Amino acid sequence: MKVALGADHGGFRLKQALAEHLKALGHEVLDLGVHSSEEPSDYPDIALAVGRALQEGRAQRGILVCGSGVGASVAANKLRGIRAAVCHDTFSARQGVEDDDMNILCLGQRVVGTELAKEVVRVFLEARFSEEERHRRRLRKVLALERRT
Ligand code: RB5
């Protein structure tokens, strides 16, 4: 799968580890920065870069890392077609895709350990939207909310 990956300075170190992990799992990584922890950065800019990659079909899923994961998810959810959430556990990462069609996983480098983050990422990318009617109905309502604003 093509995965767009981005981080602000607060998530740079974890992003680098995840980039290697993704390649080892056989995924294609589109690394949208930042490219150094010294590079001053604002998470909305990185969220926009990763969100655009999904909107334009250059990636199927995205992963955003900031200090907590929160800023990145708040920003990413402003973008049409983006469903982002902070998940620091495998249950949420799987169910977020199966039930809610989450397409961007947000992680907090200051919150989650590298090994757990790798496992959460693996589960997120293996999960698929269930297509069950009740979840499709809820997704349609989410998309209607998006169109109204
Ligand atoms: C940056 O210091 C920090 O605010 C950011 O990485 C993130 O934690 C925001 O939610």
Side-chain angles (χ1 to χ4, degrees):
M1 187 184 290
K2 279 192 183 173
V3 182
L5 185 57
D8 70 356
H9 55 280
F12 172 75
R13 185 176 41 76
L14 180 56
K15 175 180 74 72
Q16 296 306 100
L18 293 178
E20 293 311 309
H21 181 58
L22 288 166
K23 287 176 202 160
L25 291 174
H27 297 289
E28 193 176 324
V29 178
L30 179 62
D31 186 343
L32 297 168
V34 291
H35 301 293
S36 150
S37 59
E38 309 307 316
E39 192 178 326
S41 55
D42 296 326
Y43 59 79
D45 300 328
I46 304 297
L48 178 61
V50 169
R52 280 241 166 97
L54 269 68
Q55 289 173 328
E56 294 169 4
R58 287 180 285 123
Q60 284 79 54
R61 298 270 179 93
I63 298 172
L64 284 166
V65 192
C66 66
S68 64
V70 173
S73 71
V74 167
N77 279 310
K78 301 295 179 194
L79 304 171
R80 268 175 200 268
I82 298 305
R83 292 173 292 283
V86 183
C87 299
H88 290 146
D89 66 278
T90 54
F91 178 86
S92 304
R94 179 182 297 106
Q95 188 179 280
V97 175
E98 290 178 350
D99 291 9
D100 312 318
D101 205 17
M102 171 174 70
N103 51 16
I104 294 186
L105 171 70
C106 301
L107 295 163
Q109 177 183 290
R110 295 174 187 146
V111 181
V112 68
T114 302
E115 295 309 312
L116 176 55
K118 286 180 183 176
E119 188 63 8
V120 170
V121 161
R122 185 184 63 75
V123 167
F124 165 65
L125 294 175
E126 283 178 4
R128 297 290 178 271
F129 182 53
S130 73
E131 305 280 352
E132 283 179 33
E133 179 45 35
R134 68 183 191 284
H135 297 311
R136 291 167 67 92
R137 181 182 70 241
R138 291 162 190 160
L139 180 58
R140 282 196 298 274
K141 290 186 178 184
V142 170
L143 297 176
L145 288 176
E146 192 174 71
R147 281 194 300 274
R148 280 171 55 180
T149 54

